[in-house]
Amino acid sequence: MTSTDTTIAAGAPGEVARLGRSTQQRATVLRALVGSEDFVSAQVLHARLIDEGARVGLSTVYRTLTALAEAGLADTVRDPEGERLFRHRPGPHHRHYLRCRTCGRSVAVDSHLVETWAERTATANDFTEVAHTVELTGICADCTTTSPRP
Amino acid sequence: MTSTDTTIAAGAPGEVARLGRSTQQRATVLRALVGSEDFVSAQVLHARLIDEGARVGLSTVYRTLTALAEAGLADTVRDPEGERLFRHRPGPHHRHYLRCRTCGRSVAVDSHLVETWAERTATANDFTEVAHTVELTGICADCTTTSPRP
DNA sequence: GTTTTTGCAAAGCTTTTGCAATCCG
DNA sequence: CGGATTGCAAAAGCTTTGCAAAAAC
């Protein structure tokens, strides 16, 4: 099941409960993810944490991020190279993002239209339990004017 | 750059020319891809060819499929596990598909709405060179009535 | 005192690459 | 011929897993 999935239900109460025991490592990873404005890979997040002096294993980062995604607390996306990227999901519903291919920045976009289109398309084809993934990429204004790289 | 990408230009004439020399292996792979109704991974396609008695290396299948995708002759998609799936693209423009999570069948869907939505969203956010990937999955009618598996 | 979680290293996967042999034109 | 292509095996990533030590409750 893809990450940015309509079928994920993120109940308001007890969200964290699904993550099992609360450990320092999990708190650290979650905090880092929340603090990250944009999509990050497990590897990058791990490197960042190590840099900051935190002692967390890469496996733990992977396990925690996967758990968060399964719990509906994070959106995930596959970058073209197949790497999995994670981003904290603030609201109860999943979001779609527009990401800059040059600097990596991303902004959440209104996807009303896509949501309903997905529903309708599925219904029209006799499909049930629709899920969808949408990835939008482009070059942001900053990167259009200036040269590449942040 | 993701496969199902609006920015890919598939010129009508000389499409095949971009693939370099015409060899038996390439012909075989292309034929297999065209013959395949749905998305297939390089590995599955390779296995299928070997089964049929064709003598093609896995690397060649990868190289050929990648070339086809770059030439705009195939759409590609990442499945949730990160595997790359390929599908022959009949028309000059990229398509979007609705895939059944149970039996794997997929149907091309009309994505007018999404295309324009992508354009507009990007423009509204001062992004240029928009590209997008859309993946729709669900359970098809056949799989809803009968139990799993084709 | 159990039971879960961690972290390391090793394994698993898909995909890519190096390079000699081979094929196409 | 001469350069493009193939195929094998090895390498490269990213991610997962096995298992003993550590932490949580």
Side-chain angles (χ1 to χ4, degrees), chain A residues 78-83, chain B residues 1-5 8 33 38-46 58-59 61-87 89 99 133 135:
Chain A
R78 287 271 174 190
D79 90 351
E81 282 74 43
E83 209 177 0
Chain B
M1 190 154 299
T2 27
S3 53
T4 45
D5 194 311
I8 288 176
L33 186 65
D38 287 324
F39 280 99
V40 277
S41 67
Q43 314 240 16
V44 167
L45 202 64
H46 176 246
L58 179 57
S59 341
V61 173
Y62 270 111
R63 286 191 274 235
T64 305
L65 289 177
T66 301
L68 287 169
E70 276 169 1
L73 290 165
D75 284 330
T76 81
V77 124
R78 286 271 174 192
D79 89 352
E81 282 75 42
E83 209 178 2
R84 214 172 166 196
L85 305 180
F86 300 80
R87 173 165 172 158
R89 182 196 303 175
R99 197 160 78 245
T133 302
E135 288 179 56

Short mmCIF file of all heavy atoms in Angstrom, two decimals, chain A residues 78-83, chain B residues 1-5 8 33 38-46 58-59 61-87 89 99 133 135, chain C residues 13-17:
data_model
loop_
_atom_site.label_atom_id
_atom_site.label_comp_id
_atom_site.label_asym_id
_atom_site.label_seq_id
_atom_site.Cartn_x
_atom_site.Cartn_y
_atom_site.Cartn_z
N ARG A 78 8.08 7.72 -2.89
CA ARG A 78 9.28 7.12 -3.47
C ARG A 78 9.92 8.13 -4.38
O ARG A 78 9.27 8.65 -5.27
CB ARG A 78 8.91 5.90 -4.31
CG ARG A 78 8.50 4.71 -3.53
CD ARG A 78 9.69 3.84 -3.19
NE ARG A 78 9.27 2.76 -2.30
CZ ARG A 78 10.10 1.95 -1.67
NH1 ARG A 78 11.40 2.11 -1.81
NH2 ARG A 78 9.66 1.01 -0.90
N ASP A 79 11.18 8.40 -4.16
CA ASP A 79 11.80 9.30 -5.12
C ASP A 79 12.16 8.49 -6.36
O ASP A 79 12.12 7.26 -6.34
CB ASP A 79 12.95 10.08 -4.48
CG ASP A 79 14.30 9.39 -4.59
OD1 ASP A 79 14.33 8.23 -5.01
OD2 ASP A 79 15.29 10.02 -4.24
N PRO A 80 12.45 9.17 -7.46
CA PRO A 80 12.65 8.45 -8.72
C PRO A 80 13.70 7.36 -8.64
O PRO A 80 13.64 6.38 -9.37
CB PRO A 80 13.11 9.56 -9.68
CG PRO A 80 12.50 10.79 -9.13
CD PRO A 80 12.52 10.63 -7.65
N GLU A 81 14.66 7.51 -7.76
CA GLU A 81 15.69 6.50 -7.63
C GLU A 81 15.24 5.33 -6.76
O GLU A 81 15.99 4.39 -6.55
CB GLU A 81 16.97 7.09 -7.05
CG GLU A 81 17.77 7.88 -8.08
CD GLU A 81 17.12 9.20 -8.38
OE1 GLU A 81 16.66 9.86 -7.42
OE2 GLU A 81 17.00 9.57 -9.57
N GLY A 82 14.04 5.43 -6.24
CA GLY A 82 13.52 4.33 -5.44
C GLY A 82 13.74 4.49 -3.95
O GLY A 82 13.38 3.62 -3.17
N GLU A 83 14.31 5.60 -3.56
CA GLU A 83 14.52 5.83 -2.14
C GLU A 83 13.19 6.24 -1.51
O GLU A 83 12.38 6.91 -2.12
CB GLU A 83 15.56 6.95 -1.94
CG GLU A 83 16.34 6.82 -0.68
CD GLU A 83 17.41 7.91 -0.59
OE1 GLU A 83 17.50 8.74 -1.51
OE2 GLU A 83 18.13 7.92 0.42
N MET B 1 13.82 11.88 -12.58
CA MET B 1 12.52 12.20 -13.22
C MET B 1 11.65 10.96 -13.29
O MET B 1 12.02 9.93 -13.81
CB MET B 1 12.79 12.70 -14.63
CG MET B 1 11.57 13.27 -15.28
SD MET B 1 12.01 14.47 -16.52
CE MET B 1 12.88 15.69 -15.54
N THR B 2 10.50 11.08 -12.78
CA THR B 2 9.61 9.92 -12.77
C THR B 2 9.09 9.64 -14.16
O THR B 2 9.03 10.49 -15.02
CB THR B 2 8.43 10.16 -11.82
OG1 THR B 2 8.19 11.53 -11.73
CG2 THR B 2 8.72 9.57 -10.49
N SER B 3 8.70 8.42 -14.33
CA SER B 3 8.33 7.92 -15.63
C SER B 3 7.12 8.60 -16.24
O SER B 3 7.19 9.18 -17.32
CB SER B 3 8.02 6.46 -15.49
OG SER B 3 7.07 6.33 -14.45
N THR B 4 6.04 8.49 -15.57
CA THR B 4 4.80 9.04 -16.10
C THR B 4 4.88 10.56 -16.00
O THR B 4 4.24 11.19 -15.19
CB THR B 4 3.61 8.53 -15.30
OG1 THR B 4 3.95 8.63 -13.92
CG2 THR B 4 3.30 7.11 -15.64
N ASP B 5 5.67 11.09 -16.89
CA ASP B 5 6.11 12.47 -16.75
C ASP B 5 5.66 13.30 -17.93
O ASP B 5 5.87 12.94 -19.08
CB ASP B 5 7.63 12.43 -16.68
CG ASP B 5 8.19 13.73 -16.20
OD1 ASP B 5 7.77 14.76 -16.75
OD2 ASP B 5 9.01 13.71 -15.29
N ILE B 8 8.25 14.45 -20.81
CA ILE B 8 8.83 13.58 -21.82
C ILE B 8 8.22 13.87 -23.17
O ILE B 8 7.02 13.90 -23.33
CB ILE B 8 8.61 12.09 -21.48
CG1 ILE B 8 9.48 11.70 -20.30
CG2 ILE B 8 8.89 11.21 -22.67
CD1 ILE B 8 9.26 10.28 -19.84
N LEU B 33 7.30 -6.60 -24.06
CA LEU B 33 6.67 -5.49 -23.34
C LEU B 33 5.35 -5.12 -23.99
O LEU B 33 4.34 -4.91 -23.32
CB LEU B 33 7.60 -4.27 -23.31
CG LEU B 33 7.08 -3.12 -22.46
CD1 LEU B 33 7.03 -3.53 -21.00
CD2 LEU B 33 7.93 -1.88 -22.64
N ASP B 38 -0.21 -5.55 -18.94
CA ASP B 38 -0.05 -4.72 -17.75
C ASP B 38 1.40 -4.41 -17.41
O ASP B 38 2.31 -4.86 -18.07
CB ASP B 38 -0.70 -5.42 -16.56
CG ASP B 38 -2.20 -5.35 -16.67
OD1 ASP B 38 -2.70 -4.32 -17.15
OD2 ASP B 38 -2.86 -6.33 -16.29
N PHE B 39 1.54 -3.65 -16.35
CA PHE B 39 2.86 -3.30 -15.88
C PHE B 39 3.62 -4.56 -15.47
O PHE B 39 3.06 -5.46 -14.86
CB PHE B 39 2.76 -2.38 -14.65
CG PHE B 39 2.50 -0.96 -15.02
CD1 PHE B 39 1.23 -0.43 -14.97
CD2 PHE B 39 3.54 -0.14 -15.42
CE1 PHE B 39 0.98 0.89 -15.31
CE2 PHE B 39 3.32 1.18 -15.76
CZ PHE B 39 2.03 1.70 -15.70
N VAL B 40 4.88 -4.60 -15.84
CA VAL B 40 5.74 -5.71 -15.45
C VAL B 40 7.07 -5.18 -14.97
O VAL B 40 7.51 -4.12 -15.40
CB VAL B 40 6.03 -6.67 -16.63
CG1 VAL B 40 4.92 -7.65 -16.83
CG2 VAL B 40 6.33 -5.87 -17.88
N SER B 41 7.69 -5.92 -14.09
CA SER B 41 9.02 -5.54 -13.65
C SER B 41 10.02 -6.15 -14.62
O SER B 41 9.72 -7.09 -15.35
CB SER B 41 9.28 -6.06 -12.25
OG SER B 41 9.33 -7.47 -12.25
N ALA B 42 11.23 -5.61 -14.62
CA ALA B 42 12.28 -6.13 -15.48
C ALA B 42 12.50 -7.60 -15.17
O ALA B 42 12.67 -8.42 -16.07
CB ALA B 42 13.56 -5.34 -15.26
N GLN B 43 12.47 -7.93 -13.91
CA GLN B 43 12.73 -9.30 -13.50
C GLN B 43 11.67 -10.26 -14.01
O GLN B 43 11.99 -11.34 -14.52
CB GLN B 43 12.77 -9.37 -11.97
CG GLN B 43 13.59 -8.27 -11.37
CD GLN B 43 14.75 -8.80 -10.54
OE1 GLN B 43 15.11 -9.95 -10.65
NE2 GLN B 43 15.33 -7.94 -9.73
N VAL B 44 10.43 -9.88 -13.86
CA VAL B 44 9.35 -10.75 -14.34
C VAL B 44 9.43 -10.92 -15.85
O VAL B 44 9.31 -12.03 -16.37
CB VAL B 44 7.97 -10.16 -13.96
CG1 VAL B 44 6.86 -10.86 -14.72
CG2 VAL B 44 7.76 -10.29 -12.46
N LEU B 45 9.66 -9.82 -16.53
CA LEU B 45 9.75 -9.88 -17.99
C LEU B 45 10.90 -10.81 -18.40
O LEU B 45 10.77 -11.63 -19.30
CB LEU B 45 9.97 -8.48 -18.55
CG LEU B 45 9.57 -8.29 -20.01
CD1 LEU B 45 8.09 -8.48 -20.19
CD2 LEU B 45 9.98 -6.91 -20.50
N HIS B 46 12.00 -10.68 -17.72
CA HIS B 46 13.16 -11.51 -18.02
C HIS B 46 12.84 -12.99 -17.79
O HIS B 46 13.08 -13.83 -18.65
CB HIS B 46 14.35 -11.10 -17.14
CG HIS B 46 15.56 -11.96 -17.32
ND1 HIS B 46 16.05 -12.75 -16.31
CD2 HIS B 46 16.35 -12.15 -18.40
CE1 HIS B 46 17.12 -13.40 -16.77
NE2 HIS B 46 17.33 -13.05 -18.02
N LEU B 58 19.65 -10.55 -17.98
CA LEU B 58 18.87 -9.63 -17.17
C LEU B 58 19.34 -8.19 -17.38
O LEU B 58 18.54 -7.26 -17.49
CB LEU B 58 18.98 -10.02 -15.70
CG LEU B 58 18.24 -9.14 -14.70
CD1 LEU B 58 16.76 -9.08 -15.02
CD2 LEU B 58 18.43 -9.67 -13.28
N SER B 59 20.62 -8.00 -17.45
CA SER B 59 21.14 -6.64 -17.65
C SER B 59 20.60 -6.03 -18.92
O SER B 59 20.26 -4.86 -18.96
CB SER B 59 22.65 -6.64 -17.73
OG SER B 59 23.20 -7.80 -17.20
N VAL B 61 17.80 -6.70 -20.37
CA VAL B 61 16.39 -6.35 -20.17
C VAL B 61 16.32 -5.00 -19.45
O VAL B 61 15.58 -4.11 -19.84
CB VAL B 61 15.66 -7.43 -19.36
CG1 VAL B 61 14.25 -6.99 -19.02
CG2 VAL B 61 15.62 -8.73 -20.15
N TYR B 62 17.12 -4.87 -18.41
CA TYR B 62 17.14 -3.60 -17.69
C TYR B 62 17.53 -2.45 -18.61
O TYR B 62 16.88 -1.42 -18.66
CB TYR B 62 18.14 -3.66 -16.53
CG TYR B 62 17.53 -4.13 -15.23
CD1 TYR B 62 17.87 -5.37 -14.70
CD2 TYR B 62 16.61 -3.34 -14.55
CE1 TYR B 62 17.31 -5.82 -13.50
CE2 TYR B 62 16.05 -3.79 -13.37
CZ TYR B 62 16.40 -5.02 -12.85
OH TYR B 62 15.85 -5.45 -11.68
N ARG B 63 18.61 -2.65 -19.34
CA ARG B 63 19.10 -1.58 -20.20
C ARG B 63 18.07 -1.22 -21.26
O ARG B 63 17.81 -0.05 -21.53
CB ARG B 63 20.41 -2.00 -20.85
CG ARG B 63 21.57 -1.97 -19.86
CD ARG B 63 22.92 -2.13 -20.54
NE ARG B 63 23.28 -3.53 -20.71
CZ ARG B 63 24.42 -4.08 -20.28
NH1 ARG B 63 25.30 -3.35 -19.63
NH2 ARG B 63 24.68 -5.34 -20.49
N THR B 64 17.44 -2.22 -21.83
CA THR B 64 16.47 -1.96 -22.87
C THR B 64 15.24 -1.25 -22.33
O THR B 64 14.77 -0.27 -22.90
CB THR B 64 16.04 -3.28 -23.55
OG1 THR B 64 17.21 -3.95 -24.01
CG2 THR B 64 15.12 -3.00 -24.71
N LEU B 65 14.75 -1.72 -21.21
CA LEU B 65 13.56 -1.09 -20.64
C LEU B 65 13.84 0.36 -20.25
O LEU B 65 13.03 1.24 -20.48
CB LEU B 65 13.07 -1.88 -19.43
CG LEU B 65 12.44 -3.24 -19.75
CD1 LEU B 65 12.06 -3.98 -18.48
CD2 LEU B 65 11.22 -3.06 -20.65
N THR B 66 14.98 0.58 -19.67
CA THR B 66 15.35 1.94 -19.30
C THR B 66 15.42 2.83 -20.53
O THR B 66 14.92 3.95 -20.54
CB THR B 66 16.71 1.94 -18.59
OG1 THR B 66 16.63 1.11 -17.44
CG2 THR B 66 17.10 3.35 -18.18
N ALA B 67 16.02 2.29 -21.58
CA ALA B 67 16.11 3.06 -22.83
C ALA B 67 14.73 3.36 -23.38
O ALA B 67 14.45 4.48 -23.82
CB ALA B 67 16.93 2.28 -23.84
N LEU B 68 13.86 2.37 -23.35
CA LEU B 68 12.50 2.57 -23.85
C LEU B 68 11.79 3.66 -23.07
O LEU B 68 11.11 4.51 -23.63
CB LEU B 68 11.71 1.25 -23.78
CG LEU B 68 12.08 0.18 -24.80
CD1 LEU B 68 11.42 -1.14 -24.46
CD2 LEU B 68 11.66 0.64 -26.20
N ALA B 69 11.97 3.61 -21.77
CA ALA B 69 11.32 4.61 -20.93
C ALA B 69 11.86 6.00 -21.25
O ALA B 69 11.11 6.96 -21.36
CB ALA B 69 11.52 4.27 -19.46
N GLU B 70 13.17 6.08 -21.42
CA GLU B 70 13.78 7.37 -21.72
C GLU B 70 13.36 7.88 -23.08
O GLU B 70 13.25 9.08 -23.30
CB GLU B 70 15.31 7.26 -21.65
CG GLU B 70 15.83 7.40 -20.23
CD GLU B 70 17.31 7.02 -20.14
OE1 GLU B 70 17.91 6.70 -21.18
OE2 GLU B 70 17.85 7.07 -19.02
N ALA B 71 13.12 6.95 -23.98
CA ALA B 71 12.70 7.34 -25.32
C ALA B 71 11.21 7.68 -25.36
O ALA B 71 10.69 8.08 -26.38
CB ALA B 71 13.01 6.22 -26.31
N GLY B 72 10.55 7.49 -24.23
CA GLY B 72 9.14 7.82 -24.18
C GLY B 72 8.24 6.72 -24.71
O GLY B 72 7.06 6.94 -24.96
N LEU B 73 8.79 5.55 -24.90
CA LEU B 73 7.99 4.45 -25.44
C LEU B 73 7.39 3.58 -24.35
O LEU B 73 6.68 2.64 -24.61
CB LEU B 73 8.85 3.59 -26.36
CG LEU B 73 9.22 4.26 -27.68
CD1 LEU B 73 10.36 3.53 -28.37
CD2 LEU B 73 8.00 4.30 -28.58
N ALA B 74 7.73 3.89 -23.12
CA ALA B 74 7.18 3.11 -22.01
C ALA B 74 6.89 4.02 -20.83
O ALA B 74 7.58 5.02 -20.62
CB ALA B 74 8.14 2.00 -21.61
N ASP B 75 5.86 3.67 -20.08
CA ASP B 75 5.57 4.37 -18.83
C ASP B 75 6.18 3.53 -17.72
O ASP B 75 6.18 2.31 -17.79
CB ASP B 75 4.06 4.47 -18.60
CG ASP B 75 3.43 5.54 -19.48
OD1 ASP B 75 4.13 6.52 -19.78
OD2 ASP B 75 2.26 5.39 -19.85
N THR B 76 6.69 4.18 -16.72
CA THR B 76 7.19 3.41 -15.59
C THR B 76 6.57 3.94 -14.31
O THR B 76 6.08 5.05 -14.25
CB THR B 76 8.72 3.46 -15.46
OG1 THR B 76 9.09 4.68 -14.82
CG2 THR B 76 9.39 3.35 -16.80
N VAL B 77 6.63 3.12 -13.30
CA VAL B 77 5.96 3.39 -12.05
C VAL B 77 6.75 2.67 -10.97
O VAL B 77 7.42 1.69 -11.24
CB VAL B 77 4.51 2.85 -12.17
CG1 VAL B 77 4.16 1.88 -11.08
CG2 VAL B 77 3.54 4.00 -12.27
N ARG B 78 6.70 3.18 -9.76
CA ARG B 78 7.37 2.49 -8.66
C ARG B 78 6.31 1.78 -7.85
O ARG B 78 5.36 2.41 -7.40
CB ARG B 78 8.07 3.47 -7.73
CG ARG B 78 9.31 4.07 -8.27
CD ARG B 78 10.53 3.25 -7.96
NE ARG B 78 11.69 3.81 -8.63
CZ ARG B 78 12.85 3.18 -8.73
NH1 ARG B 78 13.00 1.99 -8.22
NH2 ARG B 78 13.85 3.74 -9.35
N ASP B 79 6.47 0.51 -7.65
CA ASP B 79 5.49 -0.12 -6.78
C ASP B 79 5.91 0.16 -5.34
O ASP B 79 7.02 0.61 -5.08
CB ASP B 79 5.31 -1.60 -7.12
CG ASP B 79 6.25 -2.52 -6.38
OD1 ASP B 79 7.15 -2.04 -5.71
OD2 ASP B 79 6.06 -3.74 -6.51
N PRO B 80 4.98 -0.06 -4.39
CA PRO B 80 5.25 0.35 -3.01
C PRO B 80 6.55 -0.23 -2.45
O PRO B 80 7.17 0.36 -1.59
CB PRO B 80 4.05 -0.20 -2.24
CG PRO B 80 2.97 -0.26 -3.25
CD PRO B 80 3.62 -0.59 -4.55
N GLU B 81 6.96 -1.37 -2.95
CA GLU B 81 8.19 -1.98 -2.46
C GLU B 81 9.42 -1.39 -3.12
O GLU B 81 10.53 -1.80 -2.85
CB GLU B 81 8.17 -3.49 -2.68
CG GLU B 81 7.32 -4.24 -1.66
CD GLU B 81 5.83 -4.06 -1.94
OE1 GLU B 81 5.45 -4.12 -3.13
OE2 GLU B 81 5.06 -3.82 -0.99
N GLY B 82 9.19 -0.46 -4.03
CA GLY B 82 10.33 0.19 -4.65
C GLY B 82 10.75 -0.44 -5.97
O GLY B 82 11.70 0.00 -6.60
N GLU B 83 10.04 -1.45 -6.39
CA GLU B 83 10.37 -2.09 -7.65
C GLU B 83 9.85 -1.22 -8.80
O GLU B 83 8.82 -0.57 -8.68
CB GLU B 83 9.70 -3.47 -7.71
CG GLU B 83 10.45 -4.47 -8.54
CD GLU B 83 9.77 -5.84 -8.51
OE1 GLU B 83 8.72 -5.97 -7.86
OE2 GLU B 83 10.30 -6.77 -9.13
N ARG B 84 10.61 -1.21 -9.89
CA ARG B 84 10.21 -0.40 -11.01
C ARG B 84 9.39 -1.24 -11.97
O ARG B 84 9.82 -2.32 -12.36
CB ARG B 84 11.46 0.12 -11.71
CG ARG B 84 11.31 1.49 -12.29
CD ARG B 84 12.64 1.97 -12.79
NE ARG B 84 12.52 3.14 -13.63
CZ ARG B 84 13.50 3.56 -14.43
NH1 ARG B 84 14.64 2.92 -14.47
NH2 ARG B 84 13.33 4.63 -15.17
N LEU B 85 8.25 -0.74 -12.35
CA LEU B 85 7.39 -1.48 -13.28
C LEU B 85 7.31 -0.73 -14.60
O LEU B 85 7.28 0.50 -14.63
CB LEU B 85 5.99 -1.63 -12.68
CG LEU B 85 5.92 -2.29 -11.29
CD1 LEU B 85 4.48 -2.38 -10.82
CD2 LEU B 85 6.58 -3.65 -11.30
N PHE B 86 7.26 -1.48 -15.69
CA PHE B 86 7.22 -0.87 -17.02
C PHE B 86 5.97 -1.29 -17.77
O PHE B 86 5.45 -2.38 -17.57
CB PHE B 86 8.44 -1.32 -17.83
CG PHE B 86 9.75 -0.92 -17.23
CD1 PHE B 86 10.30 -1.67 -16.19
CD2 PHE B 86 10.44 0.19 -17.69
CE1 PHE B 86 11.52 -1.32 -15.63
CE2 PHE B 86 11.66 0.54 -17.14
CZ PHE B 86 12.20 -0.21 -16.11
N ARG B 87 5.53 -0.41 -18.62
CA ARG B 87 4.39 -0.74 -19.47
C ARG B 87 4.53 0.01 -20.78
O ARG B 87 4.90 1.18 -20.80
CB ARG B 87 3.09 -0.32 -18.78
CG ARG B 87 1.87 -0.47 -19.66
CD ARG B 87 0.61 -0.40 -18.86
NE ARG B 87 -0.54 -0.36 -19.75
CZ ARG B 87 -1.77 -0.69 -19.39
NH1 ARG B 87 -2.02 -1.08 -18.16
NH2 ARG B 87 -2.77 -0.63 -20.24
N ARG B 89 3.84 2.18 -23.88
CA ARG B 89 2.94 3.32 -24.07
C ARG B 89 2.59 3.43 -25.54
O ARG B 89 3.43 3.76 -26.37
CB ARG B 89 3.64 4.61 -23.62
CG ARG B 89 2.75 5.82 -23.76
CD ARG B 89 3.54 7.10 -23.69
NE ARG B 89 4.32 7.18 -22.44
CZ ARG B 89 5.17 8.16 -22.18
NH1 ARG B 89 5.37 9.11 -23.06
NH2 ARG B 89 5.83 8.17 -21.05
N ARG B 99 -4.72 0.45 -11.02
CA ARG B 99 -4.26 -0.94 -10.92
C ARG B 99 -4.93 -1.68 -9.77
O ARG B 99 -5.14 -1.13 -8.69
CB ARG B 99 -2.75 -0.97 -10.74
CG ARG B 99 -2.15 -2.32 -11.02
CD ARG B 99 -0.67 -2.28 -11.32
NE ARG B 99 0.14 -2.14 -10.13
CZ ARG B 99 0.89 -1.11 -9.83
NH1 ARG B 99 0.92 -0.06 -10.64
NH2 ARG B 99 1.59 -1.08 -8.75
N THR B 133 3.48 12.35 -11.18
CA THR B 133 3.26 10.92 -11.19
C THR B 133 1.97 10.68 -10.43
O THR B 133 1.76 11.26 -9.37
CB THR B 133 4.38 10.17 -10.46
OG1 THR B 133 5.61 10.49 -11.09
CG2 THR B 133 4.16 8.68 -10.52
N GLU B 135 -0.56 7.49 -9.19
CA GLU B 135 -0.82 6.06 -9.14
C GLU B 135 -2.14 5.82 -8.43
O GLU B 135 -2.35 6.29 -7.32
CB GLU B 135 0.29 5.33 -8.40
CG GLU B 135 1.57 5.25 -9.18
CD GLU B 135 2.64 4.54 -8.39
OE1 GLU B 135 2.42 3.39 -7.96
OE2 GLU B 135 3.70 5.15 -8.18
P DC C 13 15.56 -12.27 -0.89
OP1 DC C 13 14.33 -12.97 -0.53
OP2 DC C 13 16.67 -12.95 -1.59
"O5'" DC C 13 15.17 -10.98 -1.73
"C5'" DC C 13 15.88 -9.77 -1.48
"C4'" DC C 13 15.22 -8.64 -2.18
"O4'" DC C 13 15.98 -7.49 -1.88
"C3'" DC C 13 15.26 -8.82 -3.70
"O3'" DC C 13 14.04 -8.41 -4.30
"C2'" DC C 13 16.36 -7.92 -4.17
"C1'" DC C 13 16.69 -7.02 -3.01
N1 DC C 13 18.15 -7.09 -2.75
C2 DC C 13 18.89 -5.93 -2.76
O2 DC C 13 18.29 -4.86 -2.92
N3 DC C 13 20.22 -6.00 -2.58
C4 DC C 13 20.81 -7.18 -2.40
N4 DC C 13 22.13 -7.21 -2.24
C5 DC C 13 20.07 -8.39 -2.38
C6 DC C 13 18.73 -8.31 -2.56
P DT C 14 13.89 -8.68 -5.86
OP1 DT C 14 12.45 -8.79 -6.12
OP2 DT C 14 14.81 -9.73 -6.28
"O5'" DT C 14 14.42 -7.29 -6.44
"C5'" DT C 14 13.58 -6.16 -6.28
"C4'" DT C 14 14.34 -4.92 -6.68
"O4'" DT C 14 15.65 -4.96 -6.10
"C3'" DT C 14 14.53 -4.74 -8.18
"O3'" DT C 14 14.18 -3.42 -8.53
"C2'" DT C 14 15.99 -5.01 -8.41
"C1'" DT C 14 16.59 -4.59 -7.08
N1 DT C 14 17.87 -5.27 -6.77
C2 DT C 14 18.99 -4.51 -6.53
O2 DT C 14 18.99 -3.30 -6.57
N3 DT C 14 20.12 -5.22 -6.23
C4 DT C 14 20.25 -6.60 -6.14
O4 DT C 14 21.32 -7.11 -5.87
C5 DT C 14 19.03 -7.33 -6.41
C7 DT C 14 19.04 -8.82 -6.34
C6 DT C 14 17.92 -6.64 -6.70
P DT C 15 14.15 -3.05 -10.06
OP1 DT C 15 13.22 -1.92 -10.16
OP2 DT C 15 13.94 -4.26 -10.85
"O5'" DT C 15 15.63 -2.50 -10.33
"C5'" DT C 15 16.04 -1.31 -9.66
"C4'" DT C 15 17.50 -1.04 -9.90
"O4'" DT C 15 18.28 -2.13 -9.38
"C3'" DT C 15 17.91 -0.89 -11.37
"O3'" DT C 15 18.46 0.40 -11.55
"C2'" DT C 15 18.94 -1.98 -11.59
"C1'" DT C 15 19.44 -2.25 -10.18
N1 DT C 15 20.00 -3.58 -9.92
C2 DT C 15 21.30 -3.65 -9.48
O2 DT C 15 21.99 -2.66 -9.30
N3 DT C 15 21.76 -4.92 -9.26
C4 DT C 15 21.06 -6.10 -9.43
O4 DT C 15 21.59 -7.18 -9.19
C5 DT C 15 19.70 -5.96 -9.90
C7 DT C 15 18.84 -7.17 -10.12
C6 DT C 15 19.24 -4.72 -10.12
P DT C 16 19.04 0.86 -12.93
OP1 DT C 16 18.73 2.28 -13.08
OP2 DT C 16 18.62 -0.11 -13.96
"O5'" DT C 16 20.61 0.70 -12.69
"C5'" DT C 16 21.19 1.29 -11.54
"C4'" DT C 16 22.68 1.08 -11.54
"O4'" DT C 16 22.98 -0.31 -11.26
"C3'" DT C 16 23.40 1.42 -12.85
"O3'" DT C 16 24.54 2.17 -12.52
"C2'" DT C 16 23.75 0.05 -13.42
"C1'" DT C 16 23.94 -0.77 -12.17
N1 DT C 16 23.69 -2.22 -12.30
C2 DT C 16 24.66 -3.08 -11.86
O2 DT C 16 25.71 -2.72 -11.39
N3 DT C 16 24.33 -4.41 -11.98
C4 DT C 16 23.16 -4.96 -12.50
O4 DT C 16 22.99 -6.16 -12.56
C5 DT C 16 22.20 -3.98 -12.94
C7 DT C 16 20.90 -4.45 -13.52
C6 DT C 16 22.50 -2.68 -12.83
P DT C 17 25.42 2.82 -13.67
OP1 DT C 17 25.73 4.18 -13.24
OP2 DT C 17 24.75 2.57 -14.96
"O5'" DT C 17 26.76 1.94 -13.63
"C5'" DT C 17 27.19 1.39 -12.40
"C4'" DT C 17 28.44 0.56 -12.62
"O4'" DT C 17 28.10 -0.84 -12.69
"C3'" DT C 17 29.24 0.86 -13.89
"O3'" DT C 17 30.61 0.69 -13.59
"C2'" DT C 17 28.74 -0.21 -14.85
"C1'" DT C 17 28.57 -1.38 -13.90
N1 DT C 17 27.59 -2.40 -14.31
C2 DT C 17 27.87 -3.72 -14.05
O2 DT C 17 28.90 -4.09 -13.51
N3 DT C 17 26.89 -4.59 -14.43
C4 DT C 17 25.70 -4.31 -15.05
O4 DT C 17 24.92 -5.19 -15.35
C5 DT C 17 25.47 -2.91 -15.31
C7 DT C 17 24.21 -2.48 -15.98
C6 DT C 17 26.42 -2.04 -14.93
#
